[in-house]
Amino acid sequence: DADGPDFHLHVPSTAVVIPTYIMVKYEAIGTESEMEVIGLASATGDSSVTGTALTVYNLRMDAPQATLCTATGAVDGAGVTDPNAGNRIEFWRRGHNLADTTGSGENDRPERVYEWKAGETATPPIVVGGGAIAVYATGQAATGFITVEWVELPANDLD
């Protein structure tokens, strides 16, 4: 769905999230090479997004605490409160902007893996109070994977 994020993380009012890593890996891009990847932090969240429910895995192997957040993929644009509303910031934007048709023998193939790392930015966004992290990965008939990592704390830990 072109107007919905490909990944949506709802951050409830009981949590604080700081994204640390995002990777978008295209397996197929279709016939057009125009692609754009956006990472968005928003104060506008949605706890009942229509899409594919995703499983969140804890990077701390003893997993002492479950996530408070809800992750959804393949979001239906009509089934989500637009995270572009209210206080928001695009903290990451990358892409291949040539709208040309790539043949199988051409050398102008677009990059297929896009990464954002919090350590490469001055300050990563901090999402609180019912906000969201959204990742958009456009492409004509594109398929692939999105990996998102974040630090999650109870909201009162940053008071």
Side-chain angles (χ1 to χ4, degrees):
D1 190 345
D3 59 349
D6 296 286
F7 172 87
H8 183 276
L9 182 72
H10 176 253
V11 181
S13 61
T14 56
V16 174
V17 163
I18 303 168
T20 57
Y21 177 76
I22 301 171
M23 188 234 350
V24 174
K25 181 189 183 304
Y26 287 91
E27 289 193 324
I29 58 168
T31 57
E32 295 295 321
S33 62
E34 186 172 5
M35 301 174 338
E36 187 169 41
V37 177
I38 298 169
L40 178 83
S42 176
T44 302
D46 189 337
S47 62
S48 58
V49 174
T50 303
T52 303
L54 302 176
T55 302
V56 176
Y57 292 94
N58 198 324
L59 289 177
R60 184 171 157 174
M61 293 299 100
D62 62 346
Q65 183 176 344
T67 184
L68 299 171
C69 299
T70 304
T72 308
V75 175
D76 179 355
V80 63
T81 302
D82 187 358
N84 288 284
N87 189 24
R88 84 272 186 211
I89 186 168
E90 287 183 12
F91 61 91
W92 179 46
R93 184 184 284 255
R94 290 281 313 275
H96 182 85
N97 295 321
L98 291 176
D100 62 351
T101 302
T102 57
S104 60
E106 295 180 21
N107 292 324
D108 65 343
R109 296 250 181 229
E111 186 177 355
R112 298 282 184 116
V113 179
Y114 297 91
E115 292 180 294
W116 175 84
K117 300 172 186 171
E120 295 176 354
T121 186
T123 306
I126 300 171
V127 181
V128 298
I133 298 287
V135 178
Y136 297 82
T138 66
Q140 187 275 323
T143 61
F145 296 92
I146 298 173
T147 299
V148 180
E149 296 177 4
W150 64 89
V151 172
E152 181 177 332
L153 302 167
N156 59 3
D157 280 6
L158 292 183
D159 286 345

